[in-house]
Amino acid sequence: MRQRFFHTNIQDGRAAIDNNSAERSIRPIALGRKNYLFAGSKAGGERAAVLYTILGTAKLNDINPNQYLTAVLKRIGQHSINKVDELLPWNIDLSTPTQNEAIINQKTKCPLKNKWTLK
């Protein structure tokens, strides 16, 4: 059996000789396994699973998970419930800020009065 494996590996260089990439991809799951026991309840564990799934999907769509989650949390309050699919990682447009994000980004701290003012 080993001889056949090595023959395949020598003949076709695309076949990996180890499984390091697979082990790296499941490492966060293995490291967090003990923490998942302390989700608080079954519902808390289910919520954590949903969050991990969403962030994993963002990674698979080449989106920075931190940037994605920040954008979704800023937009979800004013988003219509029947258009929630627009916030999914493969549909969201992170290049255009929402109206509230644009207002927040325009705020600057006034150096003399130490108060927030709009430009």
Side-chain angles (χ1 to χ4, degrees):
M1 182 71 171
R2 285 186 188 171
Q3 190 175 18
R4 191 172 70 187
F5 171 76
F6 285 122
H7 181 70
T8 302
N9 198 315
I10 291 169
Q11 295 298 322
D12 186 2
R14 295 175 297 170
I17 198 163
D18 57 18
N19 65 346
N20 286 340
S21 61
E23 288 183 13
R24 274 194 309 273
S25 66
I26 64 169
R27 186 172 185 204
I29 296 167
L31 291 176
R33 189 176 341 164
K34 208 169 198 180
N35 295 333
Y36 304 149
L37 295 173
F38 302 103
S41 66
K42 182 181 176 191
E46 290 173 357
R47 287 185 191 105
V50 168
L51 185 62
Y52 280 115
T53 303
I54 290 171
L55 295 179
T57 306
K59 284 182 186 178
L60 288 174
N61 284 285
D62 294 325
I63 297 174
N64 180 346
N66 189 21
Q67 182 183 9
Y68 170 73
L69 191 58
T70 302
V72 168
L73 291 175
K74 285 181 180 178
R75 297 175 188 191
I76 201 162
Q78 69 229 4
H79 212 76
S80 173
I81 190 71
N82 19 340
K83 295 183 181 178
V84 76
D85 60 327
E86 293 174 358
L87 297 176
L88 294 173
W90 51 86
N91 290 336
I92 196 165
D93 183 15
L94 296 176
S95 62
T96 58
T98 62
Q99 185 178 8
N100 284 354
E101 287 179 82
I103 291 172
I104 291 169
N105 290 337
Q106 290 176 2
K107 288 185 177 181
T108 59
K109 196 169 185 177
C110 181
L112 297 176
K113 298 178 185 175
N114 201 16
K115 294 185 178 179
W116 291 95
T117 58
L118 286 176
K119 284 186 176 179

